[in-house]
Amino acid sequence: MPTLLHLDSSPLGEASVSRHLTSEFVKNWKKTNPNGKVITRDLTTSGLISINAAWIGAAFTPKESRTPEQNEVLALSSTLLAELKEADEYVFGVPMHNFGIPSVLKLWIDQIARAGETFAYVDGAPKGQLTGKKAHFLLATGGVYGAGTAMASYNFVEPYLRTVFGFLGVVDTSFQTAGGAAALRQGADREAFLLPHLEEIRAKFAVN
């Protein structure tokens, strides 16, 4: 059964541009995969916290040697890992916050980037363990940061996500950005702004 992991990281709820994009993606994915399964994870309500010394100690303790307390420390991380491994495909809604990814998405990455789980060292070199997966990143940015623009060098979202997921073995990635979303706060028509981005998502599924 094809499985899609759908993750959102915007705190804006219905006002979020990236959530509208992922919703459209999921709707079209379901049409293409009528027998598929969708796992939905809202990172803003998942109780994510920063990793600490206890977490690090538990993560680097062999499974068979962990105490019940250490297993409890890793419980959320293990749940997130199970979702990640079960899915064949991922779609992320990612707004740009201060030129980077939202803090909740970084917290999630810290929970799933675990040695022996999503990456390992083979002959001294890192090797990603999430092979054969596909990731789609649907971004929303207040300004315009596309290649060739004056602000392109300020965009740390796509380079970071491409790097960290590549490290974990996910090299089949796509990025779509709804740039200039700040115009919505200045009275721009929301439907008109979203339409070309929604049509771009629909077109991808029409081709496939």
Side-chain angles (χ1 to χ4, degrees):
M1 176 192 301
T3 301
L4 174 70
L5 177 59
H6 164 205
L7 301 101
D8 281 312
S9 58
S10 170
L12 296 181
E14 285 299 312
S16 165
V17 169
S18 63
R19 285 178 185 265
H20 275 273
L21 300 184
T22 58
S23 177
E24 184 68 25
F25 184 99
V26 171
K27 181 171 68 175
N28 283 270
W29 188 91
K30 286 180 176 179
K31 291 179 181 177
T32 306
N33 301 274
N35 298 316
K37 174 182 177 181
V38 177
I39 303 169
T40 300
R41 168 71 62 177
D42 186 340
L43 299 183
T44 69
T45 60
S46 293
L48 297 165
I49 61 174
S50 299
I51 61 173
N52 54 27
W55 189 99
I56 294 170
F60 283 93
T61 298
K63 290 181 180 180
E64 64 276 8
S65 300
R66 286 178 193 148
T67 66
E69 291 76 16
Q70 287 179 316
N71 286 328
E72 180 61 27
V73 167
L74 294 176
L76 176 58
S77 174
S78 296
T79 296
L80 300 177
L81 282 171
E83 294 173 349
L84 197 60
K85 292 177 180 181
E86 180 181 356
D88 312 291
E89 201 167 351
Y90 316 130
V91 61
F92 291 83
V94 186
M96 175 186 279
H97 287 179
N98 299 316
F99 312 122
I101 64 172
S103 57
V104 291
L105 180 53
K106 179 58 168 63
L107 290 173
W108 178 85
I109 289 171
D110 288 344
Q111 292 286 338
I112 60 89
R114 278 174 54 184
E117 295 285 356
T118 49
F119 69 94
Y121 285 92
V122 179
D123 297 326
K127 181 176 178 58
Q129 303 297 293
L130 297 177
T131 56
K133 312 285 190 179
K134 181 183 296 186
H136 309 271
F137 298 96
L138 303 180
L139 316 181
T141 62
V144 178
Y145 300 87
T149 66
M151 298 290 286
S153 64
Y154 288 75
N155 181 3
F156 294 94
V157 176
E158 183 173 338
Y160 174 74
L161 291 173
R162 194 182 297 279
T163 298
V164 73
F165 277 87
F167 180 83
L168 300 179
V170 184
V171 295
D172 188 352
T173 58
S174 67
F175 290 82
Q176 178 184 333
T177 302
L184 297 175
R185 296 196 297 272
Q186 300 165 2
D189 184 83
R190 186 177 183 83
E191 290 188 8
F193 176 83
L194 287 170
L195 183 59
H197 305 295
L198 299 178
E199 289 182 337
E200 184 176 347
I201 291 170
R202 294 166 190 154
K204 290 178 181 178
F205 283 93
V207 171
N208 293 336

